[in-house]
Amino acid sequence: MYSIAIDGPSGVGKSTLAKALAKRLGITYLDTGAMYRAMAWKALSLGIDPNDEERVKTFVDDVKIEVKYKDGVQQIFVDGTDVSLAIREHHMSKASSDISRHNCVRTKLVAMQREIASNQSVVLDGRDITSVVLPHAEYKFFLTAKAEVRAERRAKELEAKGNVVDFAKILKDIEERDYNDSHRANSPLTLTPDSVLVDSSNMTAAEVLEYILGFIKEE
Ligand code: DC
């Protein structure tokens, strides 16, 4: 049994990489960002501002977040409702970044993530996996890319789906989330000294996958 921990900023391709790794290695993938997004969905569904810690506290203990897998694809449920698609809406990115600052939210979700990782081989991706959730993971990676490159990739994805793209706005959103996620007091995004730093600015997703696989002995 072994764990692979991957951290990095928004839009760097962590989940694409982690999914592909899990598939190649035949292990479980846990997208921890989806759990923060699920918490944000709950707050918004109650009309609660994700920044309002006192009001967020009123539901965190009782809300039931469940991670399930259907044909190998992660699904996420909040109090029995499948929110897998709803949490991907654009406004959920900022809301999840905001709610992820609160200790009460992190304590609950980190415990769930450790529980999932405790009895099977896993690959987890997020912001605090190498530093807090699984500091003793066998394999630790920090995936990064320049903000402009991440914004360009995001713009291309949106264009491919037929959207009209405002590049400056996409870049601003990414920079804002980078700042938010790496400057919060609780478990900020950090490069731990024992993580392998991978700058994917000039690499394709396939190249990143092969590079990372080169470190994994259990394949
Ligand atoms: O990876 P993502 O964009 O789906 O994550 C949404 C937000 O959740 C992100 O802006 C910061 C937060 N997050 C976190 O604080 N810790 C994690 N392990 C994963 C995500």
Side-chain angles (χ1 to χ4, degrees):
M1 222 174 77
Y2 62 98
S3 303
I4 304 174
I6 305 173
D7 284 325
S10 305
V12 74
K14 296 185 300 291
S15 60
T16 305
L17 167 67
K19 257 183 232 160
L21 271 175
K23 203 170 174 196
R24 277 280 276 272
L25 299 167
I27 64 178
T28 296
Y29 165 49
L30 179 63
D31 168 3
T32 65
M35 300 168 84
Y36 290 91
R37 286 169 181 267
M39 277 292 188
W41 183 89
K42 179 68 183 182
L44 296 181
S45 75
L46 294 171
I48 291 176
D49 176 354
N51 286 299
D52 187 340
E53 186 167 12
E54 287 313 308
R55 294 197 67 203
V56 167
K57 271 186 192 159
T58 61
F59 73 81
V60 166
D61 284 348
D62 296 331
V63 65
K64 190 171 165 199
I65 309 262
E66 292 169 287
V67 175
K68 299 182 186 178
Y69 293 88
K70 193 177 173 200
D71 303 326
V73 177
Q74 178 177 316
Q75 296 175 307
I76 191 145
F77 292 75
V78 175
D79 294 327
T81 301
D82 183 351
V83 298
S84 312
L85 283 181
I87 60 166
R88 297 295 156 200
E89 284 174 27
H90 183 67
H91 67 284
M92 299 302 306
S93 298
K94 177 71 167 49
S96 57
S97 181
D98 288 340
I99 208 162
S100 72
R101 278 210 311 276
H102 310 312
N103 216 3
C104 58
V105 170
R106 304 204 72 85
T107 305
K108 174 160 175 156
L109 296 185
V110 168
M112 281 181 68
Q113 292 156 14
R114 288 189 178 141
E115 170 71 25
I116 292 169
S118 68
N119 55 8
Q120 57 187 329
S121 289
V122 285
V123 47
L124 266 66
D125 78 329
R127 305 293 188 290
D128 61 341
I129 311 302
T130 59
S131 57
V132 175
V133 180
L134 301 175
H136 304 298
E138 282 73 9
Y139 303 103
K140 298 169 68 167
F141 300 95
F142 188 96
L143 185 62
T144 190
K146 292 188 190 75
E148 289 75 13
V149 173
R150 287 182 277 135
E152 262 165 39
R153 290 177 187 163
R154 180 84 189 117
K156 276 195 190 132
E157 269 171 28
L158 290 170
E159 267 167 3
K161 288 183 192 158
N163 295 292
V164 179
V165 167
D166 178 349
F167 181 78
K169 166 102 176 50
I170 294 175
L171 180 59
K172 188 171 158 281
D173 284 355
I174 283 187
E175 287 174 340
E176 194 175 65
R177 275 220 286 160
D178 281 0
Y179 187 86
N180 235 354
D181 295 344
S182 52
H183 287 80
R184 65 181 181 223
N186 281 325
S187 312
L189 173 66
T190 33
L191 168 62
T192 65
D194 56 352
S195 295
V196 176
L197 175 65
V198 183
D199 185 339
S200 73
S201 299
N202 297 310
M203 294 167 88
T204 64
E207 285 167 347
V208 175
L209 174 63
E210 290 311 316
Y211 181 68
I212 300 274
L213 278 169
F215 290 88
I216 315 286
K217 297 187 194 78
E218 276 84 354
E219 202 183 352

PDB file of all heavy atoms in Angstrom, residues 32-33 36-37 96-97 100 106 126-129 177 181 184, ligand 1:
ATOM      1  N   THR A  32      -9.489  16.234  -3.688  1.00  0.00           N
ATOM      2  CA  THR A  32      -9.888  16.872  -2.429  1.00  0.00           C
ATOM      3  C   THR A  32     -10.520  18.244  -2.660  1.00  0.00           C
ATOM      4  O   THR A  32     -11.328  18.698  -1.854  1.00  0.00           O
ATOM      5  CB  THR A  32      -8.688  17.016  -1.457  1.00  0.00           C
ATOM      6  OG1 THR A  32      -7.724  17.916  -2.032  1.00  0.00           O
ATOM      7  CG2 THR A  32      -8.044  15.676  -1.172  1.00  0.00           C
ATOM      8  N   GLY A  33     -10.178  18.882  -3.775  1.00  0.00           N
ATOM      9  CA  GLY A  33     -10.791  20.178  -4.094  1.00  0.00           C
ATOM     10  C   GLY A  33     -12.300  20.043  -4.210  1.00  0.00           C
ATOM     11  O   GLY A  33     -13.055  20.947  -3.819  1.00  0.00           O
ATOM     12  N   TYR A  36     -13.993  20.600  -0.885  1.00  0.00           N
ATOM     13  CA  TYR A  36     -14.134  22.016  -0.499  1.00  0.00           C
ATOM     14  C   TYR A  36     -15.234  22.679  -1.333  1.00  0.00           C
ATOM     15  O   TYR A  36     -15.999  23.513  -0.847  1.00  0.00           O
ATOM     16  CB  TYR A  36     -12.796  22.759  -0.635  1.00  0.00           C
ATOM     17  CG  TYR A  36     -11.816  22.290   0.417  1.00  0.00           C
ATOM     18  CD1 TYR A  36     -10.950  21.231   0.158  1.00  0.00           C
ATOM     19  CD2 TYR A  36     -11.819  22.856   1.683  1.00  0.00           C
ATOM     20  CE1 TYR A  36     -10.080  20.751   1.132  1.00  0.00           C
ATOM     21  CE2 TYR A  36     -10.959  22.377   2.669  1.00  0.00           C
ATOM     22  CZ  TYR A  36     -10.097  21.331   2.385  1.00  0.00           C
ATOM     23  OH  TYR A  36      -9.260  20.856   3.368  1.00  0.00           O
ATOM     24  N   ARG A  37     -15.304  22.269  -2.590  1.00  0.00           N
ATOM     25  CA  ARG A  37     -16.374  22.795  -3.448  1.00  0.00           C
ATOM     26  C   ARG A  37     -17.742  22.356  -2.921  1.00  0.00           C
ATOM     27  O   ARG A  37     -18.716  23.122  -2.956  1.00  0.00           O
ATOM     28  CB  ARG A  37     -16.175  22.306  -4.889  1.00  0.00           C
ATOM     29  CG  ARG A  37     -15.034  23.019  -5.589  1.00  0.00           C
ATOM     30  CD  ARG A  37     -14.662  22.373  -6.910  1.00  0.00           C
ATOM     31  NE  ARG A  37     -13.554  23.068  -7.516  1.00  0.00           N
ATOM     32  CZ  ARG A  37     -13.676  24.065  -8.409  1.00  0.00           C
ATOM     33  NH1 ARG A  37     -14.865  24.413  -8.852  1.00  0.00           N
ATOM     34  NH2 ARG A  37     -12.615  24.676  -8.878  1.00  0.00           N
ATOM     35  N   SER A  96     -15.274  28.148  -3.082  1.00  0.00           N
ATOM     36  CA  SER A  96     -14.575  27.042  -2.401  1.00  0.00           C
ATOM     37  C   SER A  96     -13.237  27.530  -1.843  1.00  0.00           C
ATOM     38  O   SER A  96     -12.809  27.114  -0.762  1.00  0.00           O
ATOM     39  CB  SER A  96     -14.369  25.862  -3.348  1.00  0.00           C
ATOM     40  OG  SER A  96     -13.661  26.264  -4.503  1.00  0.00           O
ATOM     41  N   SER A  97     -12.584  28.428  -2.568  1.00  0.00           N
ATOM     42  CA  SER A  97     -11.333  28.992  -2.078  1.00  0.00           C
ATOM     43  C   SER A  97     -11.614  29.769  -0.782  1.00  0.00           C
ATOM     44  O   SER A  97     -10.869  29.669   0.200  1.00  0.00           O
ATOM     45  CB  SER A  97     -10.739  29.897  -3.156  1.00  0.00           C
ATOM     46  OG  SER A  97      -9.523  30.444  -2.740  1.00  0.00           O
ATOM     47  N   SER A 100     -12.498  27.408   2.187  1.00  0.00           N
ATOM     48  CA  SER A 100     -11.399  26.515   2.587  1.00  0.00           C
ATOM     49  C   SER A 100     -10.480  27.161   3.632  1.00  0.00           C
ATOM     50  O   SER A 100      -9.624  26.495   4.188  1.00  0.00           O
ATOM     51  CB  SER A 100     -10.590  26.096   1.358  1.00  0.00           C
ATOM     52  OG  SER A 100      -9.826  27.177   0.868  1.00  0.00           O
ATOM     53  N   ARG A 106     -11.641  22.669   7.342  1.00  0.00           N
ATOM     54  CA  ARG A 106     -10.440  21.868   7.051  1.00  0.00           C
ATOM     55  C   ARG A 106     -10.342  20.660   7.981  1.00  0.00           C
ATOM     56  O   ARG A 106      -9.988  19.566   7.554  1.00  0.00           O
ATOM     57  CB  ARG A 106      -9.165  22.723   7.161  1.00  0.00           C
ATOM     58  CG  ARG A 106      -9.144  23.950   6.283  1.00  0.00           C
ATOM     59  CD  ARG A 106      -7.726  24.410   5.985  1.00  0.00           C
ATOM     60  NE  ARG A 106      -7.090  23.498   5.058  1.00  0.00           N
ATOM     61  CZ  ARG A 106      -7.213  23.567   3.727  1.00  0.00           C
ATOM     62  NH1 ARG A 106      -7.931  24.512   3.171  1.00  0.00           N
ATOM     63  NH2 ARG A 106      -6.620  22.687   2.958  1.00  0.00           N
ATOM     64  N   GLY A 126      -4.425  18.361  -4.179  1.00  0.00           N
ATOM     65  CA  GLY A 126      -5.031  19.488  -3.476  1.00  0.00           C
ATOM     66  C   GLY A 126      -4.027  20.592  -3.252  1.00  0.00           C
ATOM     67  O   GLY A 126      -3.221  20.918  -4.139  1.00  0.00           O
ATOM     68  N   ARG A 127      -4.090  21.206  -2.035  1.00  0.00           N
ATOM     69  CA  ARG A 127      -3.190  22.307  -1.706  1.00  0.00           C
ATOM     70  C   ARG A 127      -2.326  21.969  -0.484  1.00  0.00           C
ATOM     71  O   ARG A 127      -1.260  22.537  -0.304  1.00  0.00           O
ATOM     72  CB  ARG A 127      -3.971  23.589  -1.387  1.00  0.00           C
ATOM     73  CG  ARG A 127      -4.956  24.041  -2.471  1.00  0.00           C
ATOM     74  CD  ARG A 127      -4.243  24.482  -3.722  1.00  0.00           C
ATOM     75  NE  ARG A 127      -5.152  25.080  -4.698  1.00  0.00           N
ATOM     76  CZ  ARG A 127      -6.069  24.408  -5.383  1.00  0.00           C
ATOM     77  NH1 ARG A 127      -6.226  23.109  -5.219  1.00  0.00           N
ATOM     78  NH2 ARG A 127      -6.841  25.043  -6.263  1.00  0.00           N
ATOM     79  N   ASP A 128      -2.850  21.064   0.375  1.00  0.00           N
ATOM     80  CA  ASP A 128      -2.177  20.759   1.646  1.00  0.00           C
ATOM     81  C   ASP A 128      -1.910  19.267   1.798  1.00  0.00           C
ATOM     82  O   ASP A 128      -1.782  18.765   2.909  1.00  0.00           O
ATOM     83  CB  ASP A 128      -3.069  21.217   2.810  1.00  0.00           C
ATOM     84  CG  ASP A 128      -4.413  20.491   2.804  1.00  0.00           C
ATOM     85  OD1 ASP A 128      -4.800  19.937   1.746  1.00  0.00           O
ATOM     86  OD2 ASP A 128      -5.064  20.453   3.857  1.00  0.00           O
ATOM     87  N   ILE A 129      -1.876  18.546   0.701  1.00  0.00           N
ATOM     88  CA  ILE A 129      -1.736  17.083   0.798  1.00  0.00           C
ATOM     89  C   ILE A 129      -0.318  16.709   1.230  1.00  0.00           C
ATOM     90  O   ILE A 129      -0.135  15.894   2.142  1.00  0.00           O
ATOM     91  CB  ILE A 129      -2.085  16.386  -0.548  1.00  0.00           C
ATOM     92  CG1 ILE A 129      -3.419  16.904  -1.102  1.00  0.00           C
ATOM     93  CG2 ILE A 129      -2.125  14.872  -0.364  1.00  0.00           C
ATOM     94  CD1 ILE A 129      -4.602  16.730  -0.198  1.00  0.00           C
ATOM     95  N   ARG A 177      -6.943  33.545  -6.947  1.00  0.00           N
ATOM     96  CA  ARG A 177      -7.019  32.268  -6.207  1.00  0.00           C
ATOM     97  C   ARG A 177      -5.635  31.827  -5.734  1.00  0.00           C
ATOM     98  O   ARG A 177      -5.476  31.295  -4.642  1.00  0.00           O
ATOM     99  CB  ARG A 177      -7.657  31.179  -7.078  1.00  0.00           C
ATOM    100  CG  ARG A 177      -9.168  31.230  -7.008  1.00  0.00           C
ATOM    101  CD  ARG A 177      -9.767  29.851  -6.953  1.00  0.00           C
ATOM    102  NE  ARG A 177      -9.714  29.185  -8.240  1.00  0.00           N
ATOM    103  CZ  ARG A 177      -9.807  27.876  -8.386  1.00  0.00           C
ATOM    104  NH1 ARG A 177      -9.904  27.086  -7.339  1.00  0.00           N
ATOM    105  NH2 ARG A 177      -9.786  27.352  -9.585  1.00  0.00           N
ATOM    106  N   ASP A 181      -5.068  31.096  -1.847  1.00  0.00           N
ATOM    107  CA  ASP A 181      -4.721  29.739  -1.409  1.00  0.00           C
ATOM    108  C   ASP A 181      -3.322  29.665  -0.794  1.00  0.00           C
ATOM    109  O   ASP A 181      -3.048  28.765   0.004  1.00  0.00           O
ATOM    110  CB  ASP A 181      -4.821  28.747  -2.584  1.00  0.00           C
ATOM    111  CG  ASP A 181      -6.243  28.605  -3.106  1.00  0.00           C
ATOM    112  OD1 ASP A 181      -7.181  29.022  -2.389  1.00  0.00           O
ATOM    113  OD2 ASP A 181      -6.431  28.089  -4.227  1.00  0.00           O
ATOM    114  N   ARG A 184      -3.388  32.146   3.059  1.00  0.00           N
ATOM    115  CA  ARG A 184      -4.284  31.963   4.210  1.00  0.00           C
ATOM    116  C   ARG A 184      -3.487  31.425   5.395  1.00  0.00           C
ATOM    117  O   ARG A 184      -2.422  30.815   5.224  1.00  0.00           O
ATOM    118  CB  ARG A 184      -5.431  31.021   3.833  1.00  0.00           C
ATOM    119  CG  ARG A 184      -4.945  29.636   3.529  1.00  0.00           C
ATOM    120  CD  ARG A 184      -6.072  28.700   3.134  1.00  0.00           C
ATOM    121  NE  ARG A 184      -5.531  27.390   2.881  1.00  0.00           N
ATOM    122  CZ  ARG A 184      -5.884  26.615   1.872  1.00  0.00           C
ATOM    123  NH1 ARG A 184      -6.791  27.010   1.019  1.00  0.00           N
ATOM    124  NH2 ARG A 184      -5.343  25.427   1.733  1.00  0.00           N
TER     125      ARG A 184
HETATM  126  O1   DC B   1      -8.578  22.134  -6.773  1.00  0.00           O
HETATM  127  P1   DC B   1      -9.879  22.952  -6.813  1.00  0.00           P
HETATM  128  O2   DC B   1      -9.797  24.170  -7.674  1.00  0.00           O
HETATM  129  O3   DC B   1     -11.077  22.115  -7.143  1.00  0.00           O
HETATM  130  O4   DC B   1     -10.067  23.448  -5.297  1.00  0.00           O
HETATM  131  C1   DC B   1     -11.053  24.385  -4.931  1.00  0.00           C
HETATM  132  C2   DC B   1     -10.559  25.198  -3.738  1.00  0.00           C
HETATM  133  O5   DC B   1     -10.470  24.362  -2.566  1.00  0.00           O
HETATM  134  C3   DC B   1      -9.166  25.809  -3.895  1.00  0.00           C
HETATM  135  O6   DC B   1      -9.214  27.142  -4.368  1.00  0.00           O
HETATM  136  C4   DC B   1      -8.574  25.765  -2.510  1.00  0.00           C
HETATM  137  C5   DC B   1      -9.343  24.697  -1.789  1.00  0.00           C
HETATM  138  N1   DC B   1      -8.567  23.477  -1.516  1.00  0.00           N
HETATM  139  C6   DC B   1      -7.839  23.439  -0.350  1.00  0.00           C
HETATM  140  O7   DC B   1      -7.800  24.422   0.380  1.00  0.00           O
HETATM  141  N2   DC B   1      -7.184  22.305  -0.008  1.00  0.00           N
HETATM  142  C7   DC B   1      -7.216  21.220  -0.801  1.00  0.00           C
HETATM  143  N3   DC B   1      -6.567  20.116  -0.416  1.00  0.00           N
HETATM  144  C8   DC B   1      -7.939  21.262  -2.025  1.00  0.00           C
HETATM  145  C9   DC B   1      -8.591  22.419  -2.358  1.00  0.00           C
END
